[in-house]
Amino acid sequence: MKVLVAVKRVVDYNVKVRVKSDNTAVDTANVKMSMNPFDEIAIEEAVRLKEKGLASEIIAVSCGVAQCQETLRTAMAIGADRAILIESNEDLQPLAVAKLLQALVTKEQPGLIILGKQAIDDDCNQTGQMLAALADLPQVTCASKIEVADGKASITREIDGGLETLNVTLPAVMTADLRLNEPRYVTLPNIMKAKKKPLETIKPEDLGVDVTPRIKTLKVNEPPKRSAGIKVPDVATLVAKLKTEAKVI
């Protein structure tokens, strides 16, 4: 079984995000970038499937600028066999990425497509669902456990009421949640091996996909700073303030 994993280059989760002075976007100049944490979980799960003998090849895919090659090299250091970069300088929105991935799915014919449930930069949580709809494949989102056997996958996901287990016939699309696994530490020897693995670069037009943005960002603002709290002498005063000032009761 061939497994295709989509990975995204985002601002590192340890970095404090700042907005540009003209309020047009988040400032990414001289900012540390890394693989989206949920995508790292996705690639780790694909590697574990291969270690169990359930996957024959892992293909890491990223859509974006040329620097995404670094993210793909990280994916190959974790255990991906080869990588494909769909290079574009456009602001790639979820629908455009889903269409690009659909074109690759048609070309590569993977048995399982794994994505992170969402990216930590835009928090859209849309690409996996859109890909499944476009490719007409079964999907399971927010997976916390996966078991593959006999051309089917039993996937457990977290819901408000507890856990839900769904059985899907492969090929299928799955998005990884936080508790699916804990990604391994990437060792220096594996980083060196990743430099020798094949990395193919293509353009959106090679796949016949129009990635023109459909949504325009008007303005980006930092969240307002929290005001200082106050102390109240008794419960009666607290209730009065909640009623008259906070207006929450």
Side-chain angles (χ1 to χ4, degrees):
M1 179 178 69
K2 189 186 291 186
V3 181
L4 188 145
V5 184
V7 296
K8 185 177 183 181
R9 178 177 181 261
V10 298
V11 175
D12 190 88
Y13 68 93
N14 286 313
V15 174
K16 178 176 172 57
V17 176
R18 301 185 185 280
V19 176
K20 289 182 178 179
S21 57
D22 58 1
N23 294 103
T24 56
V26 170
D27 189 3
T28 57
N30 301 315
V31 171
K32 182 184 177 184
M33 309 291 282
S34 61
M35 187 189 301
N36 178 47
F38 290 104
D39 297 342
E40 199 171 355
I41 292 168
I43 199 81
E44 170 67 26
E45 191 62 26
V47 174
R48 293 188 184 190
L49 289 173
K50 188 178 180 183
E51 289 172 346
K52 293 175 183 176
L54 299 170
S56 56
E57 184 184 28
I58 301 169
I59 308 163
V61 181
S62 190
C63 308
V65 295
Q67 289 88 336
C68 291
Q69 291 186 26
E70 301 168 12
T71 306
L72 289 171
R73 291 292 178 195
T74 301
M76 289 190 286
I78 294 173
D81 299 296
R82 59 186 173 97
I84 301 172
L85 170 61
I86 306 173
E87 188 177 347
S88 174
N89 291 319
E90 286 278 7
D91 176 24
L92 295 177
Q93 294 170 352
L95 181 59
V97 175
K99 288 181 176 180
L100 292 169
L101 293 176
Q102 181 210 3
L104 273 186
V105 167
T106 303
K107 178 183 175 183
E108 295 287 346
Q109 293 295 307
L112 181 63
I113 304 102
I114 310 178
L115 305 87
K117 72 167 184 176
Q118 65 193 81
I120 62 170
D121 52 0
D122 55 22
D123 272 339
C124 283
N125 192 353
Q126 295 174 343
T127 307
Q129 293 90 320
M130 289 178 171
L131 172 60
L134 291 169
D136 194 22
L137 293 173
Q139 64 166 312
V140 180
T141 59
C142 306
S144 59
K145 184 180 179 182
I146 175 172
E147 295 177 357
V148 177
D150 302 323
K152 295 185 178 181
S154 176
I155 302 173
T156 302
R157 60 194 300 267
E158 297 181 1
I159 59 174
D160 290 342
L163 298 176
E164 177 183 50
T165 301
L166 300 173
N167 293 322
V168 294
T169 302
L170 301 179
V173 177
M174 184 192 86
T175 66
D177 205 346
L178 190 65
R179 276 163 285 281
L180 181 59
N181 62 54
E182 186 175 339
R184 68 194 65 193
Y185 177 77
V186 181
T187 62
L188 182 59
N190 286 340
I191 293 173
M192 301 307 292
K193 288 177 185 175
K195 292 182 179 180
K196 298 179 181 178
K197 292 182 179 180
L199 195 160
E200 179 186 0
T201 300
I202 57 177
K203 300 286 186 181
E205 46 267 30
D206 298 333
L207 299 171
V209 177
D210 178 16
V211 296
T212 304
R214 296 172 180 240
I215 300 172
K216 182 180 178 182
T217 302
L218 300 179
K219 193 174 183 182
V220 178
N221 289 319
E222 288 190 21
K225 293 182 179 179
R226 291 183 62 179
S227 56
I230 60 169
K231 289 183 179 181
V232 293
D234 50 48
V235 174
T237 308
L238 172 62
V239 172
K241 287 186 175 293
L242 290 174
K243 282 183 178 179
T244 58
E245 295 181 18
K247 297 187 184 331
V248 295
I249 58 173

